[in-house]
Amino acid sequence: MEFTESASLCWYAVHVRSRHEFKVLERLANAGIDAFLPVVERLNKWKDRKKLINFPLFPGYLFVHIRKMYEDMLTVLKTHGVVRFISLIPGEPEPVPEDQIMSLKIVLENKETVDPYPYLKEGQRVKIKKGPLAGAHGLLVKRESQHMLVLSVDILRQGISVKVDASDVETL
């Protein structure tokens, strides 16, 4: 792994132990590491009550915003519950493009209804030009009679979809 002293901050996907996403997020925050866990609210039903619960959008994964330096990566790896960095080449963590993280944050902050969506590599890349999702990038697809913006996180081979008005998008 190649490390530089003046490395800039990048987002990296981290695989964590099953059902440990929130605990690992808290531990990373306590260690001073900027971490992002995309969550969605789902209505959970029990026999006696219903409650809105936050669930990880990508179970088993979260993102860290660190420098590609040995010390930073070691701090993340030593965090209890962290399994490994996601990489295409073994031992070489793959940065997640900033626009993919930004787009996820925009959609989730606006409390839009999102659904997990199969990973797509091909299709029309678009940017939302107006409305509450302005600035989000993704793929425009049509499901039944509705247009959907699909946001993909390439390194995880996962994505989400959100309903959009086709007139609010422009091609990249």
Side-chain angles (χ1 to χ4, degrees):
M1 192 179 312
E2 192 176 308
F3 298 100
T4 58
E5 288 303 315
S6 62
S8 61
L9 291 171
C10 291
W11 286 101
Y12 295 94
V14 176
H15 182 219
V16 299
R17 290 179 60 194
S18 179
R19 297 175 163 247
H20 281 69
E21 298 90 353
F22 292 101
K23 293 174 187 167
V24 171
L25 180 69
E26 185 180 336
R27 290 177 188 132
L28 288 169
N30 290 340
I33 293 175
D34 183 16
F36 171 52
L37 175 61
V39 295
V40 291
E41 277 188 339
R42 298 263 195 259
L43 188 63
N44 229 10
K45 298 176 186 177
W46 292 274
K47 289 181 183 178
D48 60 337
R49 62 193 156 98
K50 297 177 184 177
K51 186 177 179 183
L52 281 175
I53 304 287
N54 282 333
F55 286 95
L57 187 58
F58 306 119
Y61 300 97
L62 55 77
F63 302 95
V64 293
H65 199 216
I66 60 171
R67 296 168 297 168
K68 190 175 184 177
M69 293 179 64
Y70 181 78
E71 298 82 19
D72 291 6
M73 295 199 164
L74 191 59
T75 301
V76 172
L77 287 172
K78 283 185 168 184
T79 303
H80 183 70
V82 170
V83 176
R84 63 185 171 95
F85 280 96
I86 303 300
S87 59
L88 299 175
I89 301 167
E92 186 69 33
E94 184 74 23
V96 177
E98 184 85 26
D99 69 320
Q100 291 180 5
I101 299 294
M102 183 202 68
S103 295
L104 274 173
K105 286 183 174 186
I106 289 171
V107 170
L108 295 174
E109 285 170 5
N110 282 283
K111 302 287 186 192
E112 294 294 326
T113 303
V114 298
D115 294 311
Y117 201 87
Y119 176 77
L120 296 173
K121 187 66 177 166
E122 299 172 3
Q124 185 73 37
R125 297 261 326 142
V126 296
K127 176 182 178 182
I128 305 295
K129 62 183 177 182
K130 61 182 179 181
L133 303 179
H137 296 221
L139 296 171
L140 183 67
V141 298
K142 195 170 185 176
R143 187 193 301 168
E144 295 160 15
S145 62
Q146 298 175 335
H147 286 93
M148 309 295 287
L149 177 71
V150 177
L151 305 176
S152 296
V153 179
D154 297 334
I155 192 73
L156 299 182
R157 296 222 179 273
Q158 295 191 45
I160 61 171
S161 66
V162 60
K163 293 179 198 170
V164 293
D165 186 337
S167 64
D168 289 348
V169 302
E170 63 185 4
T171 58
L172 292 177

